[in-house]
Every structure is written in C-alpha cells, then in structure tokens.
C-alpha cells in the first residue's frame, strides 16, 4: 500500500519485513527513484524541482486581461522564494501538507536548559551522532503519538556504550497515548492489519459524510437500528481485543510504567492517534527499557525536567525531577500557513489562529456548522454518545476546504488554487494519487456538476461538524479523516465519474479485498478518455 499505482514498489528483503511492514528508508528510496523514472517533455520530475528553496510568501492579485476574458485567466499568483526571487503563475498547487512546520510547545524554564533539544522531524539526521556521543546519557521524549514511540524504541534498542536512559513523558491533560494496532491481521485473507482495515467491508462500519450514495452494506450498517447496534458491538469487541493483545498491564512493564500507554478512549474514536506495533520486539522493548510517565510538566531546568504530581494518584503524588541531556519533542506540527496573511488564508479555507479570524466570517460558519451538527447527529445517532475524554478548547479555526482541496469561495470563481495533503489519513499514498487527479480536473474546469455556492458551504460545514463529533479533539481540525481513506477516495472519484478502480473484481471481492494501489492503475487512461479525447 506504500506505493503509487504507476510504479509498483520492489518489495524489501524478507528479513527487513514484519508482516509487510518495513523500515522507512525503503520508501525514501522508492520516492527517489520515482522522481527520476518519470520523464515529461525530456525532463524528469527531479529536474523540475527547485531544491534548497524557501518560499517566503504567496500573493494573489487580480489583473484585467482584455485579450483573454475567460473565467480561468483573471487571477494570477506570485510566489516569492529565497527572499528576492519570484515565479508568476495562473494556477497554484499548494502541496505543503500538514507536516512541514514542527510544533514545539513553550515550557516554563526551557530557556535555561543547557542540553540538546530537537524536534522528531530531525531525529533521523541526528540519530547516529546522539548514539555515539558518550556525554549523552539521559534522553527525555515528549509527546504521546506513534512518532514518540518510534524514537523511544530507537534509543531503547541501543546496547553497550551507546545505551541510554530513556524517559518518555506523556502529559496528563492531553489526548493520551497512541493506540497501537497489532501488525498481524485478524483474518488470513489479509497480509497485515493495514490490509484488513482498508477495504470497503470495514468502511461500511464507519459513519462518515463522504460519497453521494451509500452502498447496500453501508446503508445496513449506518442507516438501520440493527446495523448501528452491530457496528457498535464490532468496534467494542475490536477495542477490547486490541487492549488484551497489547497487554498494557503486563508484569514485565509494571516498574517502567508501561500501563501508562493504555489509550484514554476506545479505538473507534481515534482521539489519541494510532500506530502499528510494526516490529516483533516493539512492545516488549518499550515495556522493559523505557521509563514511561503520564504527567504534566512543571518546568525545565539547566539539566533536568520536573513533572507535576499526577492527579488522583497515590503512587505519583509528589513532583518528580528527571535528569536530561537531550530532549526530543515528538509534539506534532503547526498547521497555520506562513505563506499567506491570516485574512487571506481564512478566506481560502485554511486554518488560522482564532484571534485572527474575522468575526463576521466566524459567525457565518458557526451558523452553518450548528445547523450541520443537527443533521450529522440525525444521520449518525451513534455519534451522540462520545466517551468521557479530556476536551481541549481549539486555538485555531478548522480547515474549511471543499473536498478537503478547494477554497469554497473559489469553486465558482477562478479555480486558480488547490491545497493537497491538508488532511490526516492513515494512507497518504492513496489519497495523494486521487487528490492529484481531482485537483487536475478542478483546475482545468472539467468538473461540470459542481454544487451551488450555498451547497458547497453547507457540505464544508457538514464535514467540519461531522469531524468534531466523529474524532473529538482531533476532529476540531476539520480535516482529521484517519479511518476514512477508502470512502474519501471513492467519493472524489465518484464526482469525477471514474470507476475503473472498482471493475473486474465482482461485488464480493470489491467489498472485501484490500484497496491496493494497483486498483488505481486504469484511472489515468480512463480520465484521458473521458475528459481529453
């Protein structure tokens, strides 16, 4: 599944695979080869990339063109990069995604810290040097997502002189630790848990707003009382089975705090992110070689970090100070664009700080989203009863993009800009390929049945309202579609009128087979025949 349809990935050696999961450097090598293999008009993709370039800003300006008065020639953009260089364009594809700008929280006393700090984005570049540095003995990892687990595992694996004391701190008042999936699938039909998850059968058990029409299976699971009851029981059983399999209360991890990795909410809600235990010794290594804390941070000192007492705890009722040489922030990403002023970013449907949003715009969307919320709860009654969780108040507006790609205000205007990858999903390869095709059709003005302006806004509001109900704190972003890759991709292709990705299997295999990249191989040819012949 970690490939594009037009270039199958050569499988890594069996010794480097664990149920089909493999180290990330194989994906890096695949992408390096991909940009060299694709040649257009005598130039590879690599030839067309301006490396070592920093985009300073993006400016939109209207021009009066007396020669070309068509709708799509009236808007122009200027991209300024490396301070003094610029490119003018009539169309912009912003593919900066969600993981370009590291987010580092402000900790009291952090300016006094004399050790090394880094964001996990740079861990791969500095990993070897940290292991080889004898003065680095105490590692402190901050954050609860899978990236934190991966960094902790990497340090915990070291032996001999490279061995470190590894501390992993997950704040008490956050979303909690990442939920781990087992690597093996629950059925012999699938090679691993990813294959077992990304198929249309399991997608039927997911309440989401994507697609114009439901399949019979989707209607049965989401549109009937009996189906919703069965879907709830299935997810409850899935959650209990995973917790049992992960064995968070295992005896070997009691002294190290391994139980602190148990998720706060059921896995259905995905409020705490998730990841796969993708190595045979992944969990046992964390349980025995990493000291795990679930506490809030009091302050940072020159060579240590002090944790607050844990609430309602008899065993963690005192502050705790941990010696630290290196602090690794596995704290996610900033999703506020630096390329546009806040007012323009907001008008384009991007997330901006709440204080920067114009009051009348906020009120307009609030009214739409309030009405949409009532519709979402009527359509998906199971979302009325979320579990208990620590609700955090948002500091940014949600993303409000049509189909998570196009600015609502631009849908019936210039079609001059799209945003790709402004979402969080479990398989970025599939969504990247399908989003690119939809964006091409949109920029070229080939999507003829776009809804009215009011309908576009209502659909966007419905997606935001659904996301908040469906994914709790994570859903406040308006673009957290983690489990919904299959339905989201199918909905984009449905709007384009393309269906080759679902032909040739028969109804049963279409329902239960994993959604592989190879299923998309015929889409480009189908698109050319439909729109360009």
């Amino acid at each position: 599944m970690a490939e594009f349809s037009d270039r199958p990935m050569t499988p890594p050696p069996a010794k480097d695979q664990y149920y089909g999961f493999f180290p990330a450097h194989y994906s890096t090598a695949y992408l390096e080869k991909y940009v060299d293999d694709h040649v257009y008009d005598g130039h590879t993709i690599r030839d067309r990339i301006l490396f070592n370039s920093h985009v300073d800003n993006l400016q939109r300006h209207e021009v009066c063109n007396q020669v070309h008065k068509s709708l799509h020639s009236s808007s122009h953009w200027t991209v300024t990069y490396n301070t003094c260089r610029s490119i003018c364009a009539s169309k912009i594809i912003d593919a900066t995604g969600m993981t370009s700008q590291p987010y580092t929280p402000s900790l009291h006393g952090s300016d006094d810290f004399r050790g090394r700090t880094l964001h996990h984005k740079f861990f791969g570049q500095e990993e070897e040097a940290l292991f080889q540095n004898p003065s680095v003995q105490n590692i402190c990892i901050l954050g609860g997502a899978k990236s934190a687990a991966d960094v902790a595992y990497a340090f915990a694996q070291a032996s001999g002189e490279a061995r470190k004391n590894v501390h992993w701190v997950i704040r008490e008042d956050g979303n909690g630790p990442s939920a781990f999936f087992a690597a093996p699938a629950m059925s012999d039909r699938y090679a691993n848990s990813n294959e077992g998850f990304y198929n249309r059968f399991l997608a039927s058990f997911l309440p989401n707003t994507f697609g114009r029409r439901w399949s019979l299976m989707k209607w049965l699971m989401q549109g009937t009382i009996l189906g919703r009851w069965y879907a709830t029981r299935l997810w409850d059983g899935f959650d209990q089975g995973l917790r049992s399999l992960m064995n968070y209360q295992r005896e070997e991890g009691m002294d190290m705090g391994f139980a602190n990795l148990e998720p706060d909410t059921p896995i259905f809600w995905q409020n705490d992110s998730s990841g796969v235990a993708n190595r045979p010794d992944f969990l046992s290594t964390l349980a025995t070689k990493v000291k795990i804390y679930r506490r809030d941070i009091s302050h940072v000192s020159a060579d240590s970090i002090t944790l607050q007492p844990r609430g309602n705890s008899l065993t963690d009722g005192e502050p705790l100070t941990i010696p630290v040489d290196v602090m690794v922030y596995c704290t996610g990403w900033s999703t506020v664009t630096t390329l546009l002023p806040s007012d323009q970013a907001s008008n384009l449907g991007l997330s901006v700080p709440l204080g920067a949003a114009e009051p009348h715009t906020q009120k307009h969307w609030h009214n739409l989203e309030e009405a949409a919320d009532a519709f979402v709860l009527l359509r998906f009654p199971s979302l009325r009863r979320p579990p208990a969780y620590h609700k955090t108040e948002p500091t940014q507006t949600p993303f409000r993009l049509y189909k998570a790609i196009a600015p609502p205000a631009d849908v019936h205007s210039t079609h001059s800009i799209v945003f790709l990858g402004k979402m969080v999903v479990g398989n970025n390869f599939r969504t990247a390929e399908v989003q690119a095709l939809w964006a091409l059709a949109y920029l070229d003005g080939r999507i003829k049945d776009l809804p009215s302006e009011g309908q576009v806004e209502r659909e966007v509001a419905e997606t935001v309202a659904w996301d908040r109900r469906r994914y709790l704190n994570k859903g406040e972003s308006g673009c957290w579609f983690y489990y919904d890759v299959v339905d989201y991709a199918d909905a984009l292709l449905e709007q384009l009128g393309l269906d080759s990705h679902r032909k040739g299997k028969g109804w049963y295999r279409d329902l239960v087979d994993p959604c592989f990249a190879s299923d998309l191989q015929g889409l480009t040819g189908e698109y050319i025949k439909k729109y360009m012949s």
Side-chain angles (χ1 to χ4, degrees), residues 499-513:
D499 60 5
S500 61
H501 62 299
R502 303 190 63 172
K503 287 185 175 179
K505 286 186 174 183
W507 72 268
Y508 180 72
R509 287 187 57 200
D510 179 64
L511 183 66
V512 301
D513 277 4

Side-chain angles (χ1 to χ4, degrees), residues 190-201:
Y190 308 109
N192 53 53
S193 54
N194 262 10
E195 289 189 11
F197 200 89
Y198 294 117
N199 58 74
R200 293 184 180 87
F201 175 73

Side-chain angles (χ1 to χ4, degrees), residues 471-508:
Y471 291 113
L472 309 180
N473 286 333
K474 298 290 189 183
E476 290 287 348
S477 67
C479 62
W480 193 275
F481 309 154
Y482 198 88
Y483 291 149
D484 304 283
V485 172
V486 174
D487 283 337
Y488 173 74
D490 281 354
L492 293 186
L493 296 174
E494 176 187 299
Q495 188 175 26
L496 295 181
L498 305 179
D499 60 5
S500 61
H501 62 299
R502 303 190 63 172
K503 287 185 175 179
K505 286 186 174 183
W507 72 268
Y508 180 72

